[in-house]
Amino acid sequence: MGIGRKRAGTALCLLAAAGVAAFAAPARAQFDFFGLFGRDEEPPEPSAEALPYAFDLLVEGEADVDDALETISTLYRLRGDPPPDAEALVRRAQSDLVPFIDALWGLGYYNARVRIEVAGVPLTIRGENAAAATQAARAFRGQALVPVRVLIDTGEIFRMRQIRVLGPEGTPLALPEGVYALEPGDPAASAGILAAQANIVDYYRAASRPLAEIAAVEPVVVHPEGIMDLAIRVAPGPVAGIGPVAVSGNEGVPDYVIRSFIYTEPGDPYSPEAIASMRRSIGQIEALSAVRVNEADALNANGNLPLEVVVSERLPRVFGVSASYSTSDGPAATVYWAHRNLFGGAERLRLEASAIYLTQTGARAQAADEEWWDDLGGKVSASFVKPALWGTRNDFLADALVSRDRTSGYTAELVNVTAGIRHRFGERSNLQVGGEYEIGRGTDVLGDYDYTLVGIPVAFVQDATLSRLDPREGYRIRAGVTPYLEAFGSSVGFTYADAEVSAYFPLDPLKRYVIAGRVEVGSIVGAELNEVPTNRRFFSGGGGSVRGYAYRSLGPQLAGEPIGGRSLFEASLEARLRVTDNIGIVPFVDAGSAFRESYPSFDEELRFAAGVGLRYHTPIGPLRADVAFPLNPEEGDDAFGLYLGIGQAF
């Protein structure tokens, strides 16, 4: 290698001559459990039909480059598949020389030396010794394994000395500190340089410059000093807004439905987040399976960037089943069928049936005249959504439900019908207003009852997370209030209100460690406890509530049976910790109870539980197993609760 300053190409690929060095590092044991890079069994025995070889990789110095070199090495990957003759073996070895040099330079070892020997004969890039190596290898046919050694002297890693970011004319650009995450003294590796380029482009795109690009990368390696000076030339491009949006790929879903889920307007400032939000919001249309947003290569006459939304549609019909189990609630199963484009306007109809079998230890003793099916609960429901009414951001929703709710404290049977309008403010928030009619009957420790309810439910939802099953950052808000009128045949009047807030705080940039918290409060005003139907009262305990306690067992009791309350308070705190890419552990604490009065009164005892969960992370979401232990149990409470499901607890 030359002495002094030498300019490298933009790909950081410099020609180097292979040198000779002394090596004493022992061969490293290989650990490749899945056989991705070859197998570690003994090489084939010498034979007349092929020319097997013994491969050794020897690295001088402390650099941990073995894995990187084995990944690109043809000799290593094919060591279990011997070549047919000496010429093929030499060609195989020769093909590793330049990739080895490129890889070492890419890792920042610009003074690295590489030597490959076949049967003791060193090879060169130009192949001067190929004939001698071929002749030497032939002598091993049928006699012994051909020794093939790769000798690496990495030398010291080179480091960054000067980093400059320049405009198209060579003028220095002032970027905020830390934008490109590459500092003097950092290793001069290609991965860091490529990441710096990507960070610079991302910075300008986030500043409404969609056409930003790297014009040139000019690394200068100073070999005697072991340093690199780097100049990155940037073409920021003009500031632009979002231009007109074209829609394609939709055969069965009308354009106006898709456009109603686009919450940006032409002329709004361009940003990558606005594009990502557009893709996510359109993806909420259940009739679509995939959404891609393509950006034009140039701005239009108004200085805006035209976009094209390309969608793919799902099969219209879907059928599914799910199951869950907890030791305190019992087994549950659900089956559903849905049509995602019922009338050609992305209307969704979903029919669902579910059942739960109450097995909790804390249940009351079964009466002599009762059968096992008396402990069955479940529901049959139908829901319909008509999105984008007349091309607006308003959706029509209708639901019908027949339900039997069975717990240790009560049995409730009901028929419920609701209908309403949902207005979407944006990708993550909406407000729903409608009407509700319900008739039901039930039995609890207070006696039998029949009722009719007529209400006006109002609900607000905001979800600032990026994943429904595994949120790692952001927050969720769900709040609702329903005044039930003493009119139109309603047998009781009261107001039901409930709100839940959850938040997620990542502790590291990769969001492998997350603190998650949840608080829920509820209140019923306008009626005495015994006037409120049991299934409308607040209960606590079980999965999704205070784990470790029996399902809906916490709160006011009469004669040892839970009767529900007129208010609720619950809180949960979790530490979601990734141990590996797929395995996580989740220590958690839950607290909560229902209360007799209309507002939570902490004079009544809160119930606490603690536990730990195991998560197995899959592409669709984490598989969850939680074990919870009551911290202040009462007589008859279980010693622990086991909960299985898909997705985080909240």
Side-chain angles (χ1 to χ4, degrees), residues 291-306:
V291 180
R292 187 174 72 252
V293 181
N294 296 331
E295 302 179 11
D297 296 328
L299 307 183
N300 63 12
N302 297 323
N304 295 326
L305 184 71

Side-chain angles (χ1 to χ4, degrees), residues 71-318:
T71 299
I72 64 171
S73 171
T74 303
L75 282 169
Y76 180 78
R77 293 197 311 272
L78 300 182
R79 63 193 186 281
D81 182 16
D85 51 41
E87 288 82 359
L89 174 60
V90 171
R91 287 195 300 270
R92 181 180 294 186
Q94 191 85 33
S95 70
D96 271 353
L97 270 171
V98 172
F100 279 162
I101 295 171
D102 288 346
L104 291 166
W105 281 60
L107 294 171
Y109 298 99
Y110 294 94
N111 279 340
R113 299 181 180 183
V114 177
R115 176 185 176 110
I116 299 179
E117 296 178 353
V118 175
V121 179
L123 301 177
T124 65
I125 292 177
R126 297 182 178 85
E128 291 91 343
N129 297 337
T134 300
Q135 185 65 31
R138 286 187 182 130
F140 288 84
R141 179 178 290 276
Q143 304 297 320
L145 301 178
V146 181
V148 176
R149 297 203 307 164
V150 177
L151 313 173
I152 304 292
D153 181 3
T154 62
E156 295 295 324
I157 192 169
F158 279 49
R159 306 222 170 244
M160 304 301 304
R161 180 174 68 178
Q162 184 182 57
I163 305 166
R164 297 182 300 156
V165 180
L166 309 174
E169 306 301 326
T171 305
L173 298 177
L175 298 181
E177 185 177 355
V179 164
Y180 41 85
L182 189 63
E183 303 292 340
D186 287 348
S190 61
I193 297 172
L194 292 172
Q197 297 175 51
N199 291 341
I200 292 170
V201 170
D202 289 346
Y203 167 77
Y204 280 107
R205 284 173 57 83
S208 297
R209 297 178 182 270
L211 303 183
E213 62 179 358
I214 301 299
V217 181
E218 300 170 351
V220 177
V221 177
V222 184
H223 289 274
E225 300 179 30
I227 55 92
M228 173 187 284
D229 293 332
L230 178 67
I232 301 176
R233 294 185 180 271
V234 183
V239 174
I242 290 176
V245 180
V247 177
S248 64
N250 53 316
E251 298 178 359
V253 179
D255 278 18
Y256 72 83
V257 173
I258 295 173
R259 293 184 183 279
S260 80
F261 284 82
I262 298 175
Y263 302 106
T264 58
E265 301 292 340
D268 286 352
Y270 169 90
S271 73
E273 174 54 31
I275 303 303
S277 177
M278 183 182 302
R279 184 177 63 251
R280 290 193 301 265
S281 61
I282 297 173
Q284 295 173 356
I285 302 173
E286 294 189 39
L288 303 179
S289 63
V291 180
R292 187 174 72 252
V293 181
N294 296 331
E295 302 179 11
D297 296 328
L299 307 183
N300 63 12
N302 297 323
N304 295 326
L305 184 71
L307 303 175
E308 180 188 21
V309 173
V310 183
V311 302
S312 300
E313 297 182 0
R314 297 179 186 269
L315 293 174
R317 297 170 183 83
V318 61

Side-chain angles (χ1 to χ4, degrees), residues 504-544:
Y504 312 90
F505 305 96
L507 302 181
D508 67 303
L510 296 179
K511 304 173 186 175
R512 294 173 60 89
Y513 309 104
V514 176
I515 300 298
R518 178 188 75 93
V519 174
E520 182 176 2
V521 294
S523 176
I524 297 173
V525 296
E528 296 300 321
L529 181 61
N530 62 345
E531 297 176 318
V532 179
T534 308
N535 63 299
R536 293 294 176 173
R537 301 173 195 165
F538 290 107
F539 290 82
S540 187

Side-chain angles (χ1 to χ4, degrees), residues 253-587:
V253 179
D255 278 18
Y256 72 83
V257 173
I258 295 173
R259 293 184 183 279
S260 80
F261 284 82
I262 298 175
Y263 302 106
T264 58
E265 301 292 340
D268 286 352
Y270 169 90
S271 73
E273 174 54 31
I275 303 303
S277 177
M278 183 182 302
R279 184 177 63 251
R280 290 193 301 265
S281 61
I282 297 173
Q284 295 173 356
I285 302 173
E286 294 189 39
L288 303 179
S289 63
V291 180
R292 187 174 72 252
V293 181
N294 296 331
E295 302 179 11
D297 296 328
L299 307 183
N300 63 12
N302 297 323
N304 295 326
L305 184 71
L307 303 175
E308 180 188 21
V309 173
V310 183
V311 302
S312 300
E313 297 182 0
R314 297 179 186 269
L315 293 174
R317 297 170 183 83
V318 61
F319 171 83
V321 296
S322 64
S324 63
Y325 176 80
S326 78
T327 56
S328 60
D329 303 349
T334 300
V335 58
Y336 67 89
W337 174 92
H339 197 299
R340 297 165 170 147
N341 196 5
L342 190 62
F343 302 124
E347 301 89 353
R348 190 264 292 156
L349 174 66
R350 179 184 175 104
L351 307 178
E352 180 177 315
S354 63
I356 181 171
Y357 181 63
L358 185 69
T359 61
Q360 59 197 56
T361 305
R364 56 166 176 77
Q366 195 174 72
D369 59 346
E370 291 183 339
E371 301 291 345
W372 66 268
W373 54 77
D374 290 317
D375 282 334
L376 279 176
K379 67 179 182 179
V380 177
S381 64
S383 64
F384 175 78
V385 178
K386 166 65 176 175
L389 291 173
W390 305 290
T392 68
R393 294 173 184 168
N394 299 319
D395 308 326
F396 173 74
L397 302 93
D399 295 272
L401 169 69
V402 178
S403 171
R404 184 177 193 267
D405 197 4
R406 174 70 162 161
T407 76
S408 64
Y410 72 89
T411 299
E413 299 171 349
L414 62 90
V415 176
N416 180 283
V417 178
T418 62
I421 299 296
R422 177 179 62 196
H423 177 74
R424 292 176 272 110
F425 296 103
E427 174 200 351
R428 304 178 187 277
S429 62
N430 64 76
L431 177 68
Q432 181 177 332
V433 180
E436 178 182 7
Y437 181 83
E438 178 176 307
I439 57 174
R441 64 184 183 184
T443 301
D444 62 13
V445 70
L446 299 176
D448 299 337
Y449 60 89
D450 296 278
Y451 69 93
T452 301
L453 293 177
V454 177
I456 304 175
V458 179
F460 174 78
V461 174
Q462 182 162 6
D463 186 348
T465 67
L466 296 180
S467 172
R468 185 173 63 88
L469 295 177
D470 189 19
R472 303 185 190 180
E473 186 176 23
Y475 63 90
R476 290 172 176 164
I477 299 174
R478 176 189 57 79
V481 59
T482 304
Y484 290 101
L485 313 174
E486 286 188 282
F488 307 106
S490 182
S491 58
V492 61
F494 60 91
T495 299
Y496 180 101
D498 181 54
E500 181 181 29
V501 177
S502 57
Y504 312 90
F505 305 96
L507 302 181
D508 67 303
L510 296 179
K511 304 173 186 175
R512 294 173 60 89
Y513 309 104
V514 176
I515 300 298
R518 178 188 75 93
V519 174
E520 182 176 2
V521 294
S523 176
I524 297 173
V525 296
E528 296 300 321
L529 181 61
N530 62 345
E531 297 176 318
V532 179
T534 308
N535 63 299
R536 293 294 176 173
R537 301 173 195 165
F538 290 107
F539 290 82
S540 187
S545 176
V546 184
R547 288 163 283 189
Y549 295 93
Y551 177 60
R552 293 191 169 188
S553 64
L554 305 183
Q557 296 190 0
L558 182 64
E561 298 292 346
I563 60 174
R566 289 190 294 163
S567 60
L568 174 78
F569 175 83
E570 290 181 350
S572 297
L573 184 65
E574 294 188 344
R576 299 172 179 174
L577 313 174
R578 286 280 189 104
V579 179
T580 69
D581 287 342
N582 298 111
I583 302 298
I585 59 172
V586 181

